[in-house]
Amino acid sequence: MADHGAPHFHSHDTDMHPHEHTHDEQEHHHHEHDHSSKDEWKGADGKIYHSHDGLAPHTHEPLESPGFFSRRARPITSRDFKERAFTIGIGGPVGTGKTALMLALCRELRDKYSIAAVTNDIFTKEDGEFLVKNGALPPERIRAVETGGCPHAAIREDISINLGPLEELSHLFSAEILLCESGGDNLAANFSRELADYIIYIIDVSGGDKIPRKGGPGITQADLLVINKTDLAEAVGANLKVMEQDSLRMRDGGPFVFAQVKHNIGVSEIVNHILSAWEEATHHKRR
């Protein structure tokens, strides 16, 4: 039986900030950030923070552990949901089933709640067009954002490119729930709490059963981890029991769901998690 307690890591500062980058990301993005900016400041943790839009302060210091579910950034309790409806962020690597989950959630929620959706792609509007083509929602309730750069920047750092359309949709349709899909990124990518009130991170078994134990904020600190495409496990040699044990250990009791989203398996459980969080945040009862 796997040890379901918190994982033990040697770290001098495990209370990490949700907007930190890995070493690889630092190298990739050194050209994008001016660290001599007068807008930099030292946080209470002694780290140097800055913000590109005044909304999402973050640091570029390296992560020192895979992260802990119990130490994840919590939802902002002072949020005005009349200004922008309860927002669900859906992140994960490319091809894991984010857009399929968006479609499934639209189908499950649209008859009882006023919802709208924003998708992110780097240079296309393909995911938004997929939702429209498949009748997820009326086209006017869907916005496709072209981030023009690394997808994590639009969900974690300069989130204004998503806040604009989300607020517009919220006002136009008196939305109760908003869905925001990331453009697809690595295990270190996670949503800013300024953007997402509830964070879902989705992986799939085709990457192998090692993915959950690799950790990173996506795996360890999302409010819900979805392990998708379980029907492919045998074909790719992935052991679902190993993935379960590693998810229990790495998420320290945080919830996760095995799913086959395209076959509607696990979707009702995901919806239940979402609506429980929606009820707690908005003090409304589910319908």
Side-chain angles (χ1 to χ4, degrees), residues 9-281:
F9 302 100
H10 297 292
S11 173
H12 299 291
D13 182 9
T14 55
D15 191 14
M16 68 181 193
H17 191 279
H19 305 302
E20 295 174 350
H21 291 273
T22 63
H23 288 291
D24 289 342
E25 286 177 304
Q26 282 183 296
E27 293 172 3
H28 181 67
H29 292 286
H30 73 276
H31 60 284
E32 296 182 13
H33 304 287
D34 178 8
H35 293 281
S36 64
S37 169
K38 64 181 179 181
D39 295 326
E40 290 185 342
W41 66 92
K42 181 177 285 189
D45 56 5
K47 297 179 180 179
I48 301 300
Y49 289 87
H50 69 266
S51 174
H52 303 288
D53 57 6
L55 294 172
H58 60 282
T59 176
H60 289 264
E61 297 186 23
L63 301 178
E64 295 183 350
S65 88
F68 297 89
F69 183 79
S70 61
R71 299 183 189 180
R72 73 195 189 284
R74 301 301 174 128
I76 299 173
T77 57
S78 60
R79 273 253 290 121
D80 182 357
F81 294 110
K82 293 180 180 178
E83 185 66 25
R84 173 169 52 89
F86 184 82
T87 303
I88 302 158
I90 299 176
V94 173
T96 53
K98 295 184 300 299
T99 313
L101 180 58
M102 291 277 283
L103 176 59
L105 293 179
C106 287
R107 288 171 171 168
E108 288 286 326
L109 296 168
R110 65 192 180 192
D111 293 336
K112 293 184 178 180
Y113 303 90
S114 177
I115 67 174
V118 171
T119 65
N120 285 200
D121 281 302
I122 300 177
F123 297 118
T124 73
K125 297 182 178 180
E126 184 170 333
D127 289 345
E129 291 166 353
F130 174 86
L131 295 180
V132 171
K133 182 176 68 176
N134 285 276
L137 296 171
E140 61 271 19
R141 287 179 177 256
I142 299 170
R143 296 283 189 278
V145 170
E146 295 181 60
T147 63
C150 292
H152 68 252
I155 65 168
R156 189 174 62 186
E157 295 161 6
D158 188 2
I159 60 175
S160 58
I161 196 171
N162 277 306
L163 281 179
L166 286 167
E167 290 176 354
E168 180 184 9
L169 288 167
S170 195
H171 294 151
L172 283 174
F173 301 105
S174 300
E176 297 169 284
I177 296 175
L178 298 168
L179 305 175
C180 183
E181 178 193 358
S182 166
D185 216 316
N186 58 37
L187 300 179
N190 204 8
F191 280 77
S192 165
R193 279 301 188 189
E194 296 282 353
L195 180 61
D197 302 294
Y198 191 77
I199 301 168
I200 297 174
Y201 195 80
I202 183 168
I203 61 175
D204 73 283
V205 303
S206 65
D209 54 29
K210 63 185 178 181
I211 301 300
R213 66 177 173 267
K214 282 182 172 287
I219 297 290
T220 62
Q221 297 190 326
D223 296 306
L224 179 66
L225 174 67
V226 174
I227 303 171
N228 194 27
K229 305 181 186 179
T230 57
D231 50 323
L232 299 180
E234 184 176 354
V236 300
N239 187 322
L240 295 181
K241 187 63 177 177
V242 168
M243 298 187 85
E244 178 183 22
Q245 291 173 344
D246 287 342
S247 296
L248 283 166
R249 180 171 58 87
M250 295 302 296
R251 285 183 57 74
D252 189 23
F256 61 94
V257 174
F258 282 109
Q260 297 172 30
V261 171
K262 290 187 79 171
H263 304 301
N264 210 38
I265 295 173
V267 173
S268 61
E269 189 177 352
I270 296 168
V271 169
N272 184 57
H273 281 289
I274 289 171
L275 291 180
S276 293
W278 177 79
E279 286 181 314
E280 183 178 354

